[in-house]
Amino acid sequence: MTPTRTTLILTALLLGGAQAQTATPTATQSSTSQPTQTAAQAAAEASDLVAKARATYPRGSASIDQDLWKRAAAAAERAVAAAPNNPDYLRLRAQIYTEVGFWRQAELGWEAYFRAAPNGAGAAETASAATVQYNLGYSAYTRNQPSQAAAFFANCLKLDPASVPCTTWAARTALEAGNYAQAQTLYDRALVLQPADKTLNYFRALAQSAGRYGPAATRAFSRAYGELDAGRKAQALAGFQQAAAAAPNFAEAWRESGKLALELGDAQAALAAYTGAAALPNATAADRYNLSVAQEGVSVGLKAVQAFRAAYARYTAGDKTAAEAGFLGATTLSPRYAKAWAWLGRTRYEARNFVGAAEAYAQAVQLDPNDKSSAYFLRLAQQGK
């Protein structure tokens, strides 16, 4: 017997997977292909399939595209179709869609459940519905739909006022929209829930000072921070640079740009960033130090400079053997690095390796004829003194 049109619609929707989060699937049994299920039988089948799916698939991998989950959703839809006002069946359907991350269908499912049980919903149900709103909000945020994201996060907080993720992201969207007072209030609320969270404290401070930078710079900075959290360093660097360009007084934007540029080995970007940071009235010793690293990196390469600085730290700590190896590494990375040759000569001279010291000092003097100190110790090393 040819399947009914409703059955074909259900099959198409379910096979579409989590990407097709549009209308809620419905299902009826063919009256001739198999006996008609009662609502209770369909619900029991759905629950059994859920248990089998949890036992079969790896934890955390639930997807509507997996056969057991797909069949569980279809059975739950049959139960709801047969008894559309039954809160238990509505809850079961919503729970299935929530567990598989079919967020739009889960949202519709919880809305139907709450209509059927306005006074009977428990904490677990509202928390699950809040999770759905959070995921819809985060998805909207990643699609650069800030107003929709803010609405979802607000709905989440109505359902679960103690949700740290929703409070955090409601604050983040308020901050990016330029609603700084609201952002500070929400960050304060999030910090009550999770007082030791360093990121929350960081963004709370940013919300306090964001008025000096403006929405464009603040939004770019916030988005860049998210890229950094996701491990997309090149995109994060571009975002921090955008924030600094929009607000040249934005010290943290310059510093984050510089830090990332150093990590990525981009000496020119690091130079631009730390030049901007060092020019500000609140510039720190670290800003000036990093500026010197960037300046030197432009001429001899950042990796060589970083190797030299690490070797110098070992030298000052008294580990001269490791320092010598580090200075040698710096000269290998950049053979025209006069200062590295000079310090390689020094460590060898102090170890009374006069031949090795003379070789290193000779390179230093050749590269920098004005280096009188290296010239002096070259003569001593050649004389074995």
Side-chain angles (χ1 to χ4, degrees):
M1 190 71 180
T2 303
T4 65
R5 184 173 182 275
T6 307
T7 303
L8 291 172
I9 292 172
L10 169 64
T11 303
L13 284 169
L14 290 176
L15 287 175
Q19 299 302 317
Q21 299 189 29
T22 55
T24 304
T26 60
T28 60
Q29 290 285 356
S30 170
S31 60
T32 57
S33 60
Q34 60 179 326
T36 302
Q37 280 183 312
T38 66
Q41 288 170 332
E45 180 185 349
S47 296
D48 181 59
L49 286 164
V50 166
K52 289 179 180 177
R54 289 171 178 164
T56 301
Y57 304 119
R59 187 186 180 101
S61 71
S63 167
I64 195 66
D65 293 324
Q66 293 167 335
D67 180 64
L68 291 172
W69 283 114
K70 189 184 301 182
R71 289 162 56 196
E77 290 288 0
R78 290 196 296 272
V80 170
N85 296 315
N86 185 300
D88 292 335
Y89 305 158
L90 291 166
R91 179 175 59 242
L92 174 62
R93 181 180 65 173
Q95 288 170 336
I96 290 171
Y97 285 133
T98 300
E99 190 159 350
V100 300
F102 204 173
W103 304 121
R104 175 55 179 157
Q105 296 305 104
E107 180 185 41
L108 296 172
W110 286 117
E111 286 175 356
Y113 168 72
F114 291 135
R115 285 195 298 269
N119 300 316
E125 288 76 21
T126 55
S128 291
T131 297
V132 171
Q133 292 296 312
Y134 165 75
N135 280 281
L136 286 168
Y138 188 75
S139 178
Y141 179 86
T142 59
R143 294 194 306 271
N144 200 24
Q145 297 173 325
S147 59
Q148 291 93 322
F152 284 125
F153 295 137
N155 288 339
C156 176
L157 289 176
K158 290 177 184 176
L159 290 161
D160 185 3
S163 169
V164 174
C166 287
T167 308
T168 298
W169 281 94
R172 188 84 162 257
T173 53
L175 176 64
E176 292 186 15
N179 300 324
Y180 305 130
Q182 181 187 8
Q184 289 180 53
T185 299
L186 286 163
Y187 277 122
D188 286 342
R189 182 171 161 185
L191 283 165
V192 169
L193 299 169
Q194 205 161 315
D197 191 303
K198 292 182 180 179
T199 300
L200 288 175
N201 279 289
Y202 184 89
F203 273 91
R204 173 63 174 81
L206 178 60
Q208 285 181 305
S209 57
R212 298 199 301 270
Y213 310 135
T218 303
R219 188 179 305 113
F221 186 93
S222 177
R223 296 272 169 167
Y225 199 94
E227 296 285 9
L228 185 58
D229 272 349
R232 295 185 288 269
K233 292 185 177 182
Q235 294 90 328
L237 173 57
F240 289 130
Q241 289 171 327
Q242 182 183 354
N249 62 331
F250 200 162
E252 283 306 307
W254 289 119
R255 288 171 185 147
E256 291 292 346
S257 297
K259 179 181 176 182
L260 265 178
L262 290 177
E263 289 181 16
L264 293 170
D266 189 336
Q268 289 290 351
L271 178 61
Y274 284 113
T275 298
L280 296 176
N282 59 347
T284 65
D287 294 330
R288 291 184 284 272
Y289 174 85
N290 286 320
L291 175 59
S292 71
V293 170
Q295 289 169 330
E296 204 169 359
V298 169
S299 61
V300 298
L302 273 177
K303 287 186 178 180
V305 175
Q306 289 162 341
F308 174 86
R309 301 280 175 129
Y312 183 79
R314 295 187 185 99
Y315 179 89
T316 58
D319 189 353
K320 295 186 178 181
T321 300
E324 180 184 348
F327 291 133
L328 178 61
T331 63
T332 301
L333 289 165
S334 180
R336 299 191 60 78
Y337 197 173
K339 186 164 68 173
W341 283 113
W343 277 90
L344 178 60
R346 179 167 179 168
T347 54
R348 287 175 173 176
Y349 186 85
E350 291 177 359
R352 303 189 65 77
N353 176 5
F354 297 125
V355 173
E359 291 174 353
Y361 278 131
Q363 289 289 337
V365 171
Q366 182 180 348
L367 292 167
D368 183 5
N370 295 320
D371 185 351
K372 294 181 180 180
S373 176
S374 290
Y376 173 76
F377 281 103
L378 172 60
R379 290 193 295 273
L380 292 181
Q382 289 171 332
Q383 296 168 14
K385 296 182 179 180

